[in-house]
Amino acid sequence: MTFDRTRLGFIALVAAGLVAPYLIYPVFLMKGLCFALFACAFNLLLGYTGLLSFGHAAFFGSAAYLSGHVIKELGVPPEVGILIGTLLGLGLGLIFGSLAIRRQGIYFAMITLALAQMVFFLCLQIKETGGEDGLQGIPRGRLFGAIDLSDTLTMYYFVLAVFLIGFFFIYRVVHSPFGQVLKAIRENEPRAISLGYDTDRFKLIAFVLSAGLSGLAGATKALVFQLASLTDVHWQMSGEVVLMALVGGVGTIYGPLAGAFIIVTMQNYLSGFGSWVTIIMGCVFVACVLLFRKGVVGELSGLLTRR
Amino acid sequence: MNMEYILETRGLVKEFKGFTAVAGVDLKVRRGSIHALIGPNGAGKTTVFNLLTKFLEPTRGAIVYRGQDITWRRPAQVARMGLVRSFQISAVFPHLSVRDNVRVALQRASGKSFHFWRSERSLDGLNDRVMALLDEVDLRSFADVVTVELPYGRKRALELATTLAVDPELLLLDEPTSGMGHEDVGRVTELIRRVAQQRTVLMVEHNLSLVANLSDRITVLQHGSVLAEGSYAEISSNPQVMEAYMGNAA
């Protein structure tokens, strides 16, 4: 029964993704999907492993820069550019993870934050990133040399495909033998150790996977907006992804997706209020934490299963 | 290699910033026995326990398990060698189902634990073993319950089933009946007795009637060192023990 419900959810998700651009502005949807993938990747760590990283912008942003750079300056096709961005995310994740994974709780968060700040300053200083201006005018190019991505609707379906691949990959990881161990570590790490699991290795692999997927999200975002900027590597971006996961529901499959769209919607529709947006978002966040402690999706599924 | 003793410590010392919690403990645990570690509060029982399972590193001394020096091994390593511990507060995975609690322990031996690309249905082959283990502790009917909803005594039983799933040779039980009601104590006592038929058990326990009931041999700790060792009859008639332990307890 739960299996059927899962399958039904997936079909609904894919169907919604396919018809959405006919109802909603596609660029907005693409932005939402990129951040949703980012938030889902982050949730793999926070929700399913119990690790709070405060440096995920480093993977997202540096992947955006690198894929933008290789596409714009070296003329590689978009799929290769995105792949390179993803690989950078994986590699950086391995470095960050190796340094931070032995630390617990707030110390883990602080180390990831400190490392991410170093990446930020690197991006600010080196010439290739364009400093304050960012990397602009990244050409979308032709996918596999055949499909022209400059068309918005085509680009949308490409982004949807990237998102769905990432999303189903995360679902698979969460519901794999490996995912079972991750959940055990989240629930009670000393116990997992006493059963013979080298928990640091499991946490490191989860961290690297999460970083790689964040890189995938960042690289895709760079292609959508044809822009990579300091905003993408700034620590505020690391904070935003925490917010998305929390508002939507940590440790649920759909939560970060919902959270990302809620935050992106707020940023878009409240932009008329100027700098008040952050204050309004802060209030919404406080309200969410007080009213829906498990996030929007967490509370909803709680209501459904209680029946 | 001495086959008679499965576990030995030699001059085990643990110092915490000027405070000596364990001051030169020599312990020998006979293979196949139930060995109890008792002593007043603060005697260093739990510290010894954490040293044996590598959750703490000793300041000095050696720990020998099955003839191998394990003093500097990592905790997960000694667990894979069959030296498996329980915890004072029940150590379950609260938001996993009862079934998944046991299965996650069983799956380690399957070698699939790093397979993040496979469906968890690849673990379905373990389900029969899971149910058999749950049967052993009378939890079969609770298999689909989320563990956090189990009553306390049942959680301890689940913890034991999970521990058995990794097929330990030496079981270290940290106060297996702490916080339990009367009925549960009886059930757990029987469980420990059953489990100990094929393995060695070393336990820290406050409940003296349980210790008297179960253990073949008892070591009494006081101020971080061994005060006495022997059978329950020997221990209970030892004047030093009476003064240090029973005197305190009364």
Side-chain angles (χ1 to χ4, degrees):
Chain A
M1 194 194 117
T2 49
F3 177 72
D4 283 344
R5 198 189 278 174
T6 311
R7 180 165 280 189
L8 221 69
F10 286 166
I11 293 169
L13 175 68
V14 173
L18 289 176
V19 298
Y22 296 98
L23 306 170
I24 305 167
Y25 184 46
V27 176
F28 165 77
L29 287 174
M30 288 191 274
K31 184 179 178 189
L33 285 175
C34 290
F35 281 108
L37 179 57
F38 185 30
C40 288
F42 176 79
N43 185 44
L44 177 63
L45 270 190
L46 182 61
Y48 292 99
T49 321
L51 288 173
L52 173 60
S53 158
F54 213 81
H56 259 49
F59 313 128
F60 185 82
S62 60
Y65 274 123
L66 183 66
S67 64
H69 180 77
V70 295
I71 290 169
K72 187 181 177 188
E73 304 298 332
L74 309 179
V76 306
E79 70 278 5
V80 177
I82 287 179
L83 189 69
I84 291 174
T86 309
L87 289 174
L88 178 67
L90 287 170
L92 265 185
L94 186 63
I95 298 170
F96 277 38
S98 312
L99 291 167
I101 216 78
R102 281 168 206 283
R103 298 286 164 264
Q104 310 277 339
I106 192 73
Y107 301 102
F108 176 81
M110 287 296 120
I111 293 175
T112 51
L113 174 62
L115 290 168
Q117 286 302 89
M118 288 163 66
V119 171
F120 175 80
F121 281 106
L122 210 66
C123 291
L124 185 64
Q125 294 302 325
I126 57 178
K127 257 203 334 275
E128 285 73 9
T129 57
E132 303 277 354
D133 299 331
L135 198 61
Q136 297 181 13
I138 300 162
R140 285 183 183 168
R142 288 174 168 274
L143 185 65
F144 305 118
I147 307 160
D148 186 6
L149 290 179
S150 59
D151 175 56
T152 305
L153 209 56
T154 316
M155 185 65 196
Y156 170 79
Y157 284 112
F158 172 63
V159 173
L160 179 66
V162 170
F163 169 77
L164 288 175
I165 290 169
F167 182 82
F168 287 120
F169 177 76
I170 292 168
Y171 179 84
R172 168 52 77 238
V173 171
V174 167
H175 294 275
S176 70
F178 176 76
Q180 286 292 312
V181 181
L182 290 188
K183 280 177 252 180
I185 293 171
R186 173 195 71 188
E187 296 284 299
N188 191 337
E189 189 173 353
R191 179 55 169 165
I193 293 171
S194 81
L195 294 175
Y197 289 112
D198 283 314
T199 54
D200 285 345
R201 285 176 69 192
F202 286 87
K203 290 195 285 187
L204 181 61
I205 293 173
F207 192 88
V208 172
L209 290 176
S210 171
L213 287 161
S214 302
L216 176 64
T220 311
K221 193 235 121 201
L223 206 62
V224 169
F225 291 98
Q226 304 180 277
L227 169 76
S229 73
L230 286 173
T231 317
D232 302 332
V233 277
H234 198 259
W235 64 266
Q236 277 186 354
M237 184 63 77
S238 299
E240 232 161 67
V241 77
V242 180
L243 203 65
M244 289 172 183
L246 283 177
V247 166
V250 169
T252 60
I253 281 286
Y254 293 102
L257 172 63
F261 271 94
I262 291 170
I263 301 287
V264 170
T265 307
M266 282 183 2
Q267 286 171 341
N268 267 30
Y269 289 87
L270 300 178
S271 58
F273 293 95
S275 53
W276 285 90
V277 175
T278 44
I279 292 177
I280 297 170
M281 273 177 45
C283 293
V284 170
F285 178 58
V286 171
C288 269
V289 170
L290 291 177
L291 295 175
F292 324 105
R293 291 199 55 191
K294 289 182 255 170
V296 176
V297 172
E299 293 293 340
L300 279 178
S301 69
L303 280 176
L304 283 174
T305 47
R306 214 166 291 151
R307 310 182 144 256
Chain B
M1 175 168 168
N2 190 333
M3 291 308 291
E4 193 186 351
Y5 296 105
I6 188 165
L7 183 76
E8 276 182 62
T9 70
R10 295 172 192 152
L12 205 56
V13 174
K14 178 66 187 177
E15 287 163 358
F16 297 103
K17 292 195 175 135
F19 166 70
T20 308
V22 176
V25 166
D26 294 295
L27 195 68
K28 284 183 173 185
V29 179
R30 198 181 296 270
R31 191 180 287 270
S33 68
I34 300 182
H35 195 126
L37 204 56
I38 64 172
N41 281 330
K45 304 179 300 278
T46 296
T47 309
V48 168
F49 229 70
N50 284 330
L51 290 171
L52 293 178
T53 48
K54 315 311 307 154
F55 278 70
L56 283 176
E57 287 194 342
T59 311
R60 276 188 298 284
I63 304 166
V64 178
Y65 170 66
R66 290 191 319 205
Q68 275 175 288
D69 190 322
I70 59 160
T71 317
W72 303 107
R73 300 282 173 97
R74 282 173 295 121
Q77 255 179 331
V78 299
R80 288 198 292 272
M81 293 169 75
L83 194 164
V84 181
R85 68 170 295 174
S86 73
F87 294 82
Q88 214 169 89
I89 35 164
S90 85
V92 290
F93 304 118
H95 296 99
L96 300 186
S97 70
V98 167
R99 181 201 316 271
D100 286 353
N101 260 268
V102 178
R103 202 180 63 180
V104 80
L106 271 179
Q107 83 174 58
R108 201 199 73 224
S110 75
K112 288 180 189 153
S113 292
F114 284 108
H115 293 184
F116 58 76
W117 55 90
R118 282 174 103 141
S119 164
E120 60 190 338
R121 265 171 288 156
S122 66
L123 296 171
D124 280 354
L126 299 172
N127 285 348
D128 290 344
R129 292 270 319 278
V130 171
M131 292 320 263
L133 283 160
L134 288 180
D135 267 338
E136 271 198 58
V137 294
D138 297 327
L139 283 177
R140 174 183 274 265
S141 53
F142 294 88
D144 293 313
V145 175
V146 180
T147 305
V148 69
E149 287 164 13
L150 285 184
Y152 188 75
R154 298 278 187 187
K155 279 186 193 146
R156 298 303 309 240
L158 173 61
E159 189 190 339
L160 205 55
T162 309
T163 306
L164 293 179
V166 294
D167 199 19
E169 252 188 276
L170 173 58
L171 207 58
L172 285 88
L173 304 175
D174 195 358
E175 300 194 18
T177 65
S178 72
M180 269 188 197
H182 217 69
E183 290 169 22
D184 287 330
V185 172
R187 197 209 323 255
V188 167
T189 310
E190 274 324 296
L191 264 174
I192 294 172
R193 197 194 302 282
R194 192 140 38 106
V195 161
Q197 279 166 5
Q198 300 116 36
R199 30 197 136 228
T200 315
V201 173
L202 174 65
M203 61 176 181
V204 166
E205 182 56 64
H206 274 303
N207 183 336
L208 284 181
S209 69
L210 179 92
V211 169
N213 214 330
L214 275 178
S215 3
D216 304 307
R217 201 160 181 82
I218 298 164
T219 301
V220 186
L221 285 185
Q222 192 194 18
H223 305 313
S225 34
V226 176
L227 182 70
E229 199 183 304
S231 67
Y232 186 75
E234 287 163 11
I235 291 296
S236 56
S237 59
N238 182 319
Q240 272 179 301
V241 175
M242 302 264 274
E243 194 191 319
Y245 193 83
M246 314 291 178
N248 264 9

